[in-house]
Amino acid sequence: MTRVAQISCGTEYSGIQWLFNDIAENVGIDLVYPEMELSQVDAACKELGFTAESPSLNLMMARAVSMLEDPTIKGALLLTCFKCAEGTIVKDLVRRYLHERTDIPIISYSNVEKPKEIEIYARLEALATLITRKSLLMREKQEGITMGIDSGSSTTKAVVMKDDEIVGVGWQPTTDPRKSVDEVMETALKGAGLKMSDIEAIGVTGHGRELVGEHVKADLNLEEVSVIAKGAALLTKLHKGDATVIDIGGMNNKLILSRDGIANIFNLGGICGGSSGRFLEVASHRLDVHISELGQLALKSKEKHDLQSYCMVFGIQSLVVTLASGVKREDVAAAACRSVANQVYENQIQEMEVRPPIIFVGGVSLVEGVKKEFEKMLGVDIIVPPNSQYAGAVGIATLVSGV
């Protein structure tokens, strides 16, 4: 079992600790609380430069300081309550403090009254991968002939790679995951001019990876966070130093801070479809353009209009009302792109210290209007590498070549 420090403000007494413990055990993690003396609390607050009104939050900071003295701890889980403003401040201080002093992977979670088990599982599974498979994640080059499959919630992607080059790709909407993967594999092989017997290893990632992995008899099955961070580094050839990866897919999104091409700190979105590619697909339908044309239409906008809701349902309602009021289609397209970017910014980017270069991957990275909105918000140029929609597939195709 891998020892991971739970740095919390008393979440262990909230009635859901059993859920964290059960999931942690399932993924091979032993959640521990750093040992410390109460006399260390004041010193910890001074070291972090903040004293909270809540004694529990001050204890949280002391646990973070104490954790650095235990070499057996290989990762950290930061937990606070969702609606606690002071807790958000402390969580950010602790994250920055640990990030500056250690290279262990760190994840954060804001507890809600009814937490989704799948969200907690995704975070802890990714944390376990980053700790136990670090030597594999250090790979910077694909070798041989391998196939990478990304079975996403909205689209299924496949790439065939040969000696660090993409030689075949396949991409289509996910219907039946097994049928979809069979079709994209066939397309990728055809594009590469190869047969299935030529493939030396297959790796899978994505929402449907368990089902698809068994179906294709995969040699490697890994969660998306570590794989997408690696894929972004591979596509940009940025293997050294810090980087930020934004991944927006069909139904969820990820913000990942990576170091030397390996995810180090991350958070996951997707509670509301209003920040996903699905919202843009619906918006495209209402604007009578293909999703691939939405971004270009948005770039023609001359007047700024904002939708009145980030919610998937009410956002579309606002879009329809805006169109009916006579606002130009290009201005509405820009408003839809801005809505997605704003929600990702407010719910995820603001909680983390974004560090250039910023790499944008996933299907939504192809929508130029969203990229433009992120650049306005962050004040920096954003990199959208070639084949950005295949970041997950490229990452797992490269990693499986090292198995």
Side-chain angles (χ1 to χ4, degrees):
M1 299 285 281
T2 302
R3 285 168 58 84
V4 170
Q6 177 171 315
I7 311 296
S8 61
C9 58
T11 309
E12 59 268 33
Y13 307 115
S14 68
I16 65 164
Q17 187 62 44
W18 64 270
L19 181 59
F20 281 94
N21 291 341
D22 284 354
I23 295 174
E25 184 177 357
N26 285 338
V27 300
I29 285 176
D30 179 22
L31 285 178
V32 299
Y33 307 109
E35 296 183 2
M36 49 161 288
E37 300 290 337
L38 288 178
S39 59
Q40 296 175 275
V41 174
D42 288 342
C45 292
K46 289 180 181 178
E47 186 162 352
L48 271 76
F50 182 77
T51 300
E53 292 291 331
S54 166
S56 296
L57 289 173
N58 292 330
L59 183 64
M60 179 177 177
M61 290 186 281
R63 281 177 168 169
V65 174
S66 176
M67 186 199 82
L68 296 179
E69 300 175 1
D70 188 345
T72 69
I73 291 176
K74 304 301 182 183
L77 168 63
L78 309 185
L79 289 174
T80 56
C81 298
F82 180 70
K83 295 182 179 180
C84 178
E86 194 174 41
T88 300
I89 294 172
V90 170
K91 183 170 64 176
D92 185 58
L93 283 171
V94 169
R95 178 188 57 76
R96 291 170 183 261
Y97 177 83
L98 294 177
H99 187 62
E100 291 171 356
R101 290 162 176 78
T102 179
D103 62 353
I104 67 171
I106 303 167
I107 62 172
S108 61
Y109 184 79
S110 296
N111 176 42
V112 293
E113 292 180 1
K114 295 182 179 180
K116 294 183 179 179
E117 183 173 343
I118 190 171
E119 293 180 1
I120 299 173
Y121 190 94
R123 287 164 171 79
L124 291 178
E125 185 182 30
L127 183 60
T129 299
L130 295 171
I131 295 170
T132 62
R133 306 302 294 269
K134 189 168 184 177
S135 59
L136 177 63
L137 296 176
M138 292 173 66
R139 175 167 285 269
E140 298 180 0
K141 185 177 181 180
Q142 185 272 343
E143 298 176 321
I145 303 175
T146 60
M147 177 178 285
I149 296 167
D150 182 357
S151 177
S153 57
S154 294
T155 60
T156 300
K157 286 82 66 179
V159 300
V160 175
M161 296 188 70
K162 180 178 181 181
D163 298 329
D164 211 32
E165 296 290 337
I166 300 173
V167 294
V169 299
W171 183 21
Q172 73 164 45
T174 300
T175 51
D176 178 326
R178 285 171 290 203
K179 180 180 178 182
S180 296
V181 78
D182 286 341
E183 292 175 356
V184 296
M185 287 172 67
E186 181 180 353
T187 301
L189 286 168
K190 185 177 180 180
L194 299 171
K195 304 185 294 294
M196 197 64 218
S197 58
D198 297 318
I199 302 299
E200 298 168 1
I202 300 175
V204 297
T205 190
H207 183 77
R209 63 190 177 84
E210 297 295 343
L211 180 64
V212 167
E214 182 178 350
H215 178 63
V216 303
K217 296 180 173 55
D219 301 281
L220 181 64
N221 180 331
L222 285 180
E223 44 67 40
E224 304 101 301
V225 172
S226 56
V227 172
I228 287 171
K230 176 55 58 178
L234 292 162
L235 290 172
T236 56
K237 306 298 183 184
L238 297 173
H239 296 293
K240 302 301 179 184
D242 289 341
T244 302
V245 180
I246 301 173
D247 172 73
I248 304 180
M251 290 300 291
N252 52 52
N253 45 63
K254 305 166 188 68
L255 182 67
I256 307 168
L257 298 187
S258 66
R259 180 171 289 168
D260 297 337
I262 301 175
N264 183 251
I265 301 175
F266 64 91
N267 62 32
L268 309 179
I271 294 176
C272 175
S275 62
S276 70
R278 180 57 182 158
F279 174 76
L280 295 177
E281 288 180 356
V282 177
S284 298
H285 176 73
R286 298 297 310 190
L287 291 166
D288 195 28
V289 295
H290 190 271
I291 181 67
S292 62
E293 301 170 341
L294 180 70
Q296 287 296 327
L297 180 62
L299 295 180
K300 298 177 181 178
S301 174
K302 302 296 183 183
E303 298 289 336
K304 181 178 179 180
H305 291 272
D306 290 317
L307 302 183
Q308 298 304 307
S309 175
Y310 291 158
C311 168
M312 177 78 167
V313 175
F314 293 114
I316 292 299
Q317 184 182 61
S318 177
L319 184 147
V320 172
V321 171
T322 303
L323 277 172
S325 69
V327 175
K328 294 181 179 179
R329 291 168 64 251
E330 57 266 32
D331 295 330
V332 176
C337 292
R338 190 177 307 114
S339 178
V340 169
N342 275 334
Q343 187 171 158
V344 173
Y345 180 81
E346 293 181 5
N347 293 336
Q348 292 179 268
I349 293 176
Q350 283 192 138
E351 290 192 2
M352 297 175 68
E353 185 180 1
V354 174
R355 298 183 177 182
I358 300 174
I359 308 166
F360 190 14
V361 298
V364 175
S365 67
L366 302 179
V367 181
E368 295 92 334
V370 178
K371 172 179 178 287
K372 178 182 177 182
E373 294 300 330
F374 276 134
E375 290 179 330
K376 288 179 181 178
M377 293 173 188
L378 300 173
V380 298
D381 291 335
I382 290 179
I383 300 170
V384 177
N387 298 303
S388 59
Q389 71 272 38
Y390 295 108
V394 168
I396 197 67
T398 299
L399 294 174
V400 76
S401 73
V403 174

